[in-house]
């Protein structure tokens, strides 16, 4: 299918730069409606329905002017429908390929609802409640409408939010500064790598004015990391339209511009989720550029002064693709709750090592470690060889009472395995434990090497009174505990007054029982089994571990933890809200210029 390569502002010889992408084969109904997606062209702002779109049945049947990137596609809603459908499906297929299994959404229905012109707003968001993606449109400074559904990386960014949510449903909960930043950062990374995996885009960015013939050459000095970074990353940010730029290009430019500095992550500015997410994006994209530059400079004859643009572009697209696979697979090796960037990095290093043991071609793992370190992030795993990879699972586990065949799909069987090994796997009996998912997968390496694994995810919850927290070694912030006690006392005073007026026996339990002063704590882990049913990795976050203190302190300081009606509660933070704030801020910027 033909899609717009980046957004309508990125042009080559006056035409919008388009790309041909592969999507899973299916016979679509009108809408289009397919097996995983239902496109609903309804605008909630104007309450208008733009009809069911019938897409061309094949690439060959597409109107010629679509493929040529004619200006008319900017206002052609049928083309908008194809562009949105194709990019969502390509992203889903990308995830399924990397993970080696089918992937559902985080909600019950099979089909994600997608509204390409869902609202009049300079914004787009993923909403699990609405089971879909909503793309806005708005009037640009020239008065012409600007459509977010025509921006490649906005569509992929929102789809990635939906896919991360499907894999790690607790990552939308407030937890620590890294977790929300990771949702944003990875959505940006997958979006950028998706754009960079199109050789058309890469070739255009390298030589915007040249023709695409392979005879075109690029000078050695232009493939140094610095030169590639400014021609491609900055180049993309600069070419993106001024309008869409206020939502996306600005953030992209900021991420690419952040000079490596290990102290930034501790500054107040980088505690905010989007800003912090940019550090994650910067580390990965700079790692991408370095791997790419090294690969080109090491190719050809020693000291070769010029390289064919087509080959440089293809190599870049290949590396972008391999890197996307690495980071998508990493999700399986990440703890299900309380993720920090160091965990994500250890997960990526482990996932990559498992399927691509030989990294001599791109040195990708080394590039990732180097660039994360430059922004002050180290792998959580202290393992020395291989560096930063998760430690192997503990020894002495019992397998004699579980049946592996069942463990590949049955949550109860996996729970039994955890239960039988509760001491080794530090299952805290005071907490409620639930196996969230069990997923068998078959992953294929680029060399055709096949890896079979089963990934099981479990989640733990405990609601503890202050006394119980103390007993398990968790310390909540003093001010919070004070508020909790005040509110409980107030409730008891009121209940006592009511009871008194009715003449019933007076006061309820005072001081002794503090059941209404509980604080929720969360923990959990991921179990990775090999094809013989042996545990390979166990990545977990102890529900009563030392990090809980820090986390409660952060949540309290940032207003996420509150003393409520029946004890402590976390305020729900929704990504759609975060996006709205970001777009509002972005729109202020041009206004400030007046
Ligand atoms: Zn986002």
């Amino acid at each position: 299918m033909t899609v717009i390569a980046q957004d309508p502002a990125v042009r080559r010889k006056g035409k919008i730069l388009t790309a041909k992408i592969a999507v899973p084969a299916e016979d679509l109904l009108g809408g289009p409606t397919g097996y995983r997606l239902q496109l609903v062209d309804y605008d909630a702002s104007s309450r208008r329905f733009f009809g069911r779109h019938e897409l061309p049945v094949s690439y060959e049947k597409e109107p010629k002017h679509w493929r040529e990137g004619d200006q008319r596609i900017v206002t052609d809603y049928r083309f908008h429908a194809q562009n949105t459908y194709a990019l969502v499906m390509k992203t889903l297929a990308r995830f399924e390929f990397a993970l080696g299994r089918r992937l559902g959404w985080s909600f019950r229905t099979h089909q994600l609802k997608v509204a390409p012109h869902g609202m009049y707003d300079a914004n787009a968001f993923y909403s699990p409640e609405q089971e879909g993606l909503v793309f806005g449109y708005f009037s640009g400074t020239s008065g012409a409408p600007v459509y977010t559904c025509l921006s490649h990386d906005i569509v992929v960014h929102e789809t990635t939010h939906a896919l991360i949510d499907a894999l790690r449903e607790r990552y939308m909960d407030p937890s620590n500064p890294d977790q929300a930043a990771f949702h944003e950062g990875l959505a940006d990374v997958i979006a950028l790598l998706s754009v960079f995996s199109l050789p058309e885009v890469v070739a255009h960015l390298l030589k915007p004015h040249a023709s695409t013939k392979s005879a075109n050459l690029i000078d050695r000095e232009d493939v140094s990391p610095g030169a590639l970074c400014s021609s491609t990353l900055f180049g993309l940010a600069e070419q993106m339209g001024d309008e869409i730029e206020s939502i996306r290009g600005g953030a992209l430019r900021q991420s690419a511009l952040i000079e490596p500095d290990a102290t930034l992550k501790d500054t107040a500015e980088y505690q905010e989720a989007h800003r912090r997410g940019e550090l994650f994006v910067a580390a990965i994209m700079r790692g991408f550029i370095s791997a790419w530059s090294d690969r080109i400079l090491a190719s050809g004859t020693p000291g070769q002064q010029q390289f064919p643009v087509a080959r440089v572009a293809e190599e870049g697209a290949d590396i972008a693709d391999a890197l996307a696979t690495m980071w998508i697979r990493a999700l399986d090796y990440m703890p299900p709750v309380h993720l920090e960037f160091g965990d994500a990095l250890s997960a990526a290093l482990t996932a990559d090592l498992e399927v691509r043991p030989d990294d001599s071609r791109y040195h990708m793992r080394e590039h990732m470690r180097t660039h994360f370190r430059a922004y002050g992030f180290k792998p959580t795993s202290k393992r020395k060889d291989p560096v930063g990879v998760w430690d192997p699972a503990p020894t002495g586990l019992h397998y004699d009472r579980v049946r592996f065949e069942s463990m590949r799909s049955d949550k109860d069987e996996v729970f039994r395995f955890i239960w039988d090994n509760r001491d080794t796997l530090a299952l805290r009996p005071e907490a409620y434990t639930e196996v969230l998912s069990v997923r068998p997968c078959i992953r294929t390496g680029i060399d055709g090497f096949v890896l079979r694994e089963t990934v099981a995810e479990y989640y733990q919850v405990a609601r503890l009174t202050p006394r119980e927290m103390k007993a398990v070694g968790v310390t909540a912030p003093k001010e919070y505990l004070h508020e909790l006690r005040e509110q409980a006392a107030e409730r008891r005073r009121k209940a006592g007054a009511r009871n008194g007026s009715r003449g019933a026996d007076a006061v309820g339990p005072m001081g002794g029982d503090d059941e209404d002063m509980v604080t929720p704590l969360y923990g959990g882990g991921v179990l990775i089994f090999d094809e013989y049913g042996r545990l390979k990795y166990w990545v977990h976050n102890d529900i009563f571990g030392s990090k809980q203190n820090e986390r409660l302190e952060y949540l309290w300081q940032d207003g996420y933890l509150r003393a409520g009606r029946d004890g402590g509660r976390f305020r729900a933070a929704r990504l759609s809200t975060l996006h709205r704030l970001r777009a509002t801020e972005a729109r202020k910027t041009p206004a400030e210029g007046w």
Side-chain angles (χ1 to χ4, degrees):
M1 285 184 165
T2 297
V3 296
I4 290 180
Q6 165 52 46
D7 77 35
V10 179
R11 286 167 189 250
R12 194 180 181 97
K13 295 186 179 141
K15 297 280 188 188
I16 296 166
L17 189 68
T18 58
K20 181 185 177 183
I21 62 167
V23 294
E26 63 170 322
D27 298 320
L28 290 168
L29 286 179
T33 305
Y35 69 112
R36 297 302 303 281
L37 182 164
Q38 186 184 4
L39 192 129
V40 185
D41 207 351
Y42 178 73
D43 176 0
S45 305
S46 67
R47 301 186 178 215
R48 278 180 68 196
F49 180 58
F50 300 107
R52 276 179 237 284
H53 304 286
E54 299 284 342
L55 299 189
V57 292
S58 67
Y59 177 71
E60 290 69 28
K61 294 276 161 55
E62 286 179 6
K64 197 158 149 265
H65 73 273
W66 283 18
R67 283 178 275 165
E68 287 170 347
D70 189 278
Q71 177 64 27
R72 279 177 284 169
I73 62 178
V74 175
T75 48
D76 180 349
Y77 279 18
R78 183 168 169 245
F79 175 77
H80 292 192
Q82 161 154 319
N83 194 70
T84 318
Y85 166 83
L87 290 172
V88 172
M89 288 307 287
K90 181 197 176 215
T91 310
L92 170 65
R94 195 68 199 70
F95 268 70
E96 289 186 339
F97 166 78
L99 294 168
R101 62 170 186 270
R102 291 280 174 233
L103 198 58
W105 305 112
S106 71
F107 34 86
R108 276 170 184 277
T109 50
H110 298 288
Q111 289 148 311
L112 177 80
K113 293 176 197 67
V114 178
H117 314 98
M119 58 181 174
Y120 183 78
D121 195 356
N123 198 10
F125 61 82
Y126 159 61
S127 160
E129 292 83 11
Q130 294 171 52
E131 303 182 344
L133 309 178
V134 179
F135 296 94
Y137 64 95
F138 56 100
S139 291
T141 37
S142 67
V146 178
Y147 301 98
T148 60
C149 73
L150 292 184
S151 162
H152 184 139
D153 66 341
I154 293 183
V155 177
V156 177
H157 178 102
E158 297 311 327
T159 311
T160 303
H161 275 314
L163 291 162
I164 299 174
D165 194 34
L167 283 160
R168 287 287 179 270
E169 56 188 284
R170 312 307 318 191
Y171 284 6
M172 285 179 51
D173 297 344
S175 168
N176 61 50
D178 283 359
Q179 186 163 281
F182 171 79
H183 231 292
E184 290 306 332
L186 188 67
D188 268 353
V189 164
I190 299 299
L192 284 173
L193 293 176
S194 178
V195 173
F196 278 95
S197 67
L198 303 172
E200 295 96 324
V201 181
V202 185
H204 166 70
L205 291 170
L206 288 170
K207 286 240 160 167
H209 307 294
S211 69
T212 45
K213 273 192 247 137
S214 59
N216 263 300
L217 296 172
I218 182 165
D219 293 335
R220 189 179 182 86
E221 66 203 38
D222 291 336
V223 290
S224 69
L228 279 181
C229 192
S230 48
S231 64
T232 60
L233 278 181
F234 294 134
L236 187 63
E238 255 158 37
Q239 287 194 36
M240 282 163 66
D242 287 343
E243 319 284 6
I244 218 88
E245 208 248 21
S246 64
I247 322 181
R248 298 286 308 131
L252 170 56
R253 192 174 322 200
Q254 278 170 345
S255 318
L257 265 172
I258 302 170
E259 281 299 322
D261 179 347
T263 62
L264 285 179
K265 69 174 173 52
D266 300 319
T267 60
E269 183 185 356
Y270 285 95
Q271 303 309 304
E272 189 275 323
H274 287 95
R275 285 303 269 154
R276 198 170 184 83
E278 283 161 17
L279 296 176
F280 184 84
V281 178
I284 294 179
M285 293 314 284
R286 283 184 184 249
F288 161 64
I289 297 284
S290 306
W292 184 15
S293 174
D294 284 5
R295 180 77 192 147
I296 299 299
L297 294 176
S299 71
T301 51
Q304 187 172 320
Q305 289 308 305
Q306 287 189 311
F307 303 87
V309 171
R311 216 190 74 70
V312 175
E314 248 164 61
E315 198 74 64
D318 282 352
I319 297 174
D321 202 47
L323 206 50
T325 302
M326 175 184 192
W327 279 97
I328 295 168
R329 279 185 180 155
L331 282 160
D332 268 350
Y333 299 79
M334 292 183 197
V337 287
H338 309 316
L339 179 84
E340 292 179 1
F341 287 171
D343 302 324
L345 181 56
S346 277
L349 297 171
T350 311
D352 195 57
L353 177 78
E354 283 290 332
V355 194
R356 235 170 38 88
D358 178 11
D359 191 23
S360 57
R361 190 179 163 93
Y362 300 136
H363 298 283
M364 205 89 95
R365 297 193 280 275
E366 196 186 311
H367 283 299
M368 285 300 113
R369 282 195 304 268
T370 308
H371 290 273
F372 269 90
R373 192 167 52 235
Y375 292 93
F377 300 104
K378 283 186 234 146
T380 299
S381 171
K382 300 283 170 280
R383 196 163 160 186
K384 288 280 171 286
D385 184 27
V387 191
V389 167
W390 290 128
D391 281 315
T395 51
L397 292 163
H398 303 294
Y399 295 91
D400 43 326
R401 290 173 187 156
V402 291
R403 294 173 48 237
F404 179 59
E405 265 319 300
S406 309
M407 279 228 289
R408 289 174 63 93
S409 55
D410 189 338
K411 292 182 191 174
D412 288 310
E413 199 75 23
V414 172
F415 183 75
R416 168 142 206 200
F417 172 80
I418 300 173
W419 187 257
D420 283 354
N421 293 289
R422 56 185 178 267
D423 291 338
T424 319
L425 297 181
L427 185 82
R428 307 291 201 144
E430 302 90 333
Y432 163 77
T433 302
E434 185 185 329
V435 176
L436 287 180
S437 64
V438 185
R439 298 160 170 143
C441 32
I442 302 168
R443 312 180 207 270
T444 315
I446 38 175
D447 51 357
F449 177 81
V450 173
L451 178 78
R452 285 166 205 280
E453 286 180 338
T454 300
V455 183
E457 206 191 339
Y458 67 94
Y459 179 59
Q460 296 188 289
V461 187
R463 293 177 200 284
L464 304 187
T465 63
R467 205 170 306 171
E468 288 166 329
M469 274 200 282
K470 211 169 184 182
V472 296
V474 174
T475 325
K478 273 200 183 71
E479 302 85 357
Y480 162 72
L481 290 174
H482 178 73
E483 207 173 296
L484 210 56
R485 272 193 293 271
E486 295 271 287
Q487 292 202 8
E490 179 64 26
R491 280 195 299 275
R492 283 164 196 167
R493 261 195 301 277
K494 280 184 183 158
R498 270 201 305 276
N499 290 342
S501 65
R502 286 205 310 268
D505 41 339
V507 197
M510 281 291 269
D513 185 8
D514 47 7
E515 278 300 310
D516 58 348
M517 289 168 56
V518 292
T519 301
L521 297 176
Y522 303 101
V526 157
L527 302 162
I528 311 262
F529 298 97
D530 68 12
E531 59 187 305
Y532 309 106
R534 298 280 138 172
L535 189 65
K536 268 205 293 198
Y537 298 106
W538 170 49
V539 183
H540 81 299
N541 236 311
D542 189 349
I543 185 163
F544 304 143
S546 57
K547 281 190 173 171
Q548 288 287 11
N549 303 344
E550 246 174 76
R551 206 167 283 142
L552 288 171
E553 182 66 40
Y554 164 75
L555 291 168
W556 171 250
Q557 292 300 341
D558 273 44
Y560 288 113
L561 176 63
R562 286 182 183 166
R565 221 155 51 88
D566 307 301
R569 267 186 307 173
F570 290 115
R571 185 160 61 84
R574 293 262 81 123
L575 287 168
S576 56
T577 324
L578 290 175
H579 275 202
R580 210 172 279 280
L581 288 175
R582 183 189 209 177
T584 323
E585 267 167 15
R587 278 167 101 192
K588 269 187 217 145
T589 325
E592 278 163 10
W594 291 101

